[in-house]
Amino acid sequence: RRPRRTRPQITVPDLVHDLIERRLEELPLDRDALKLGMGQFGDDFDLERFREAFDARDPEQRNRARLVTANLQALADGIVELVREAATVTGLRPAGRRPEANPDIEAVRADGCLTGRQASELIQLKKLANDIRHVYVTVTADDVHAGVDRLLKLLPGFMTAYRAWLGEYGVSLR
């Protein structure tokens, strides 16, 4: 899965190292907040119940759905930011190129941190989070429901691979 090669040992500025560690600590909290939001719609995050709240014309119902969308967004954004920070500190982003999520995700994938499937999922989840952020009316409850499922499946493998991959560069994380 991961290319076998020796990676250069890098020195990560304390500020960036602390930022990465804090983001990694926040992901489980954001995951748990997402699960709390999902729990309003039954133990199995019932799609029909979620759809009713998501499409409701009642602010109280809509707010219930927004707990899910906002937490999905926070979790997806946190993962993307970790990838962008990793592309910066490892030198995978070419000098002078501004941070951009999709090329950074691809660079981190090509270096062995993510599988092709994980990278593709992350790009799709980033797009969904952006669409939610900009309140595109094309986002449906079904899109969010499926995105939540995909995101929760992606998270454990991502966290394990991310820590191990940065470790190959000599970056130790808690």
Side-chain angles (χ1 to χ4, degrees):
R1 164 180 144 132
R2 207 178 297 201
R4 290 281 178 215
R5 62 183 179 159
T6 303
R7 291 189 168 71
Q9 300 300 287
I10 60 172
T11 301
V12 179
D14 289 342
L15 180 65
V16 176
H17 188 272
D18 291 348
L19 181 62
I20 289 171
E21 283 191 335
R22 284 185 55 212
R23 285 195 197 283
L24 285 168
E25 289 170 0
E26 292 293 314
L27 290 181
L29 181 61
D30 289 337
R31 179 206 56 219
D32 292 347
L34 174 60
K35 287 182 176 183
L36 278 174
M38 293 164 57
Q40 301 175 96
F41 305 101
D43 291 339
D44 61 350
F45 187 37
D46 182 71
L47 175 58
E48 192 55 43
R49 288 173 61 189
F50 178 67
R51 191 183 290 137
E52 287 173 17
F54 187 90
D55 295 332
R57 305 305 303 164
D58 173 66
E60 192 173 311
Q61 289 300 315
R62 181 158 295 182
N63 195 47
R64 290 176 61 227
R66 292 253 164 101
L67 289 175
V68 173
T69 59
N71 286 307
L72 178 150
Q73 199 178 323
L75 195 51
D77 288 349
I79 294 171
V80 169
E81 286 305 313
L82 282 166
V83 169
R84 292 173 64 175
E85 288 155 2
T88 300
V89 299
T90 58
L92 294 175
R93 180 182 310 113
R97 184 177 61 80
R98 69 182 186 84
E100 291 181 69
N102 289 5
D104 288 348
I105 291 168
E106 177 52 30
V108 169
R109 184 217 51 84
D111 198 56
C113 177
L114 301 171
T115 65
R117 186 167 193 263
Q118 287 172 322
S120 176
E121 280 288 355
L122 187 51
I123 289 169
Q124 290 173 26
L125 289 164
K126 178 193 68 70
K127 181 186 181 318
L128 177 60
N130 286 340
D131 289 352
I132 291 168
R133 178 177 297 105
H134 298 292
V135 195
Y136 290 140
V137 294
T138 56
V139 175
T140 67
D142 295 58
D143 296 332
V144 173
H145 194 275
V148 163
D149 183 56
R150 292 184 353 248
L151 183 57
L152 290 175
K153 287 179 181 170
L154 173 73
L155 185 61
F158 168 80
M159 289 185 67
T160 300
Y162 186 86
R163 288 174 186 278
W165 174 74
L166 278 179
E168 292 173 12
Y169 280 96
V171 178
S172 62
L173 300 166
R174 290 187 286 243

